[in-house]
């Protein structure tokens, strides 16, 4: 927390300041809820029971997202190679004509 922010929050009536009103106007409730839901998903998948959320993103990247994206990368490379070698034929699409 910055010193400026601490001063704003420690003043009387800080919850009715123009600064806070501006922050709340830009608040995207749906996006913030999605973040919280995903953090909870990561916590549940981690099998933790200690209530600590520290390091969840790193664990997710290493154990779930990383391996999935690595596999997807190689799947795409294989698709390109198969296409170049004719194993995946190019489909002809009919041209649409207007009467």
């Amino acid at each position: 927390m910055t010193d400026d922010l601490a001063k704003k929050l420690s003043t009387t009536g800080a919850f009715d300041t123009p600064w806070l009103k501006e922050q709340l106007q830009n608040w995207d409730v749906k996006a913030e809820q999605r973040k919280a839901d995903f953090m909870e998903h990561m916590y549940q998948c981690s099998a933790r029971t200690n209530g600590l959320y520290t390091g969840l993103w790193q664990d997710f990247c290493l154990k779930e997202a990383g391996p999935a994206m690595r596999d997807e990368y190689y799947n795409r490379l294989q698709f390109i190679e198969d296409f170049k070698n004719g194993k995946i034929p190019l489909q002809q699409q009919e041209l649409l004509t207007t009467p």
Side-chain angles (χ1 to χ4, degrees), residues 14-29:
F15 296 106
D16 194 26
T17 64
W19 174 84
L20 185 56
K21 287 179 182 177
E22 179 184 341
Q23 297 302 308
L24 293 175
Q25 285 174 348
N26 296 325
W27 190 262
D28 184 345
V29 174

Side-chain angles (χ1 to χ4, degrees), residues 6 8 13 15 17 23 33 37 68-71 90 92 94:
K8 289 177 182 178
F15 296 106
T17 64
Q23 297 302 308
Q33 185 60 53
D37 292 344
M69 291 299 99
R70 181 189 57 230
D71 293 345
L90 180 62
Q92 295 293 327
E94 293 182 30

Side-chain angles (χ1 to χ4, degrees), residues 36-48:
D37 292 344
F38 193 72
M39 280 182 48
E40 184 61 25
H41 162 74
M42 289 188 297
Y43 183 82
Q44 295 300 323
C45 289
S46 74
R48 296 179 185 192

Side-chain angles (χ1 to χ4, degrees), residues 5 66 72-73 97:
L5 179 58
E72 181 63 26
Y73 170 75
T97 57

Side-chain angles (χ1 to χ4, degrees), residues 58-74:
Q58 290 82 356
D59 289 348
F60 172 76
C61 289
L62 291 172
K63 295 176 183 174
E64 287 188 55
M69 291 299 99
R70 181 189 57 230
D71 293 345
E72 181 63 26
Y73 170 75
Y74 286 108

Side-chain angles (χ1 to χ4, degrees), residues 74-89:
Y74 286 108
N75 288 340
R76 289 176 186 209
L77 289 179
Q78 186 63 53
F79 177 85
I80 292 167
E81 188 66 26
D82 290 347
F83 181 77
K84 286 179 179 178
N85 292 332
K87 293 180 182 178
I88 301 172

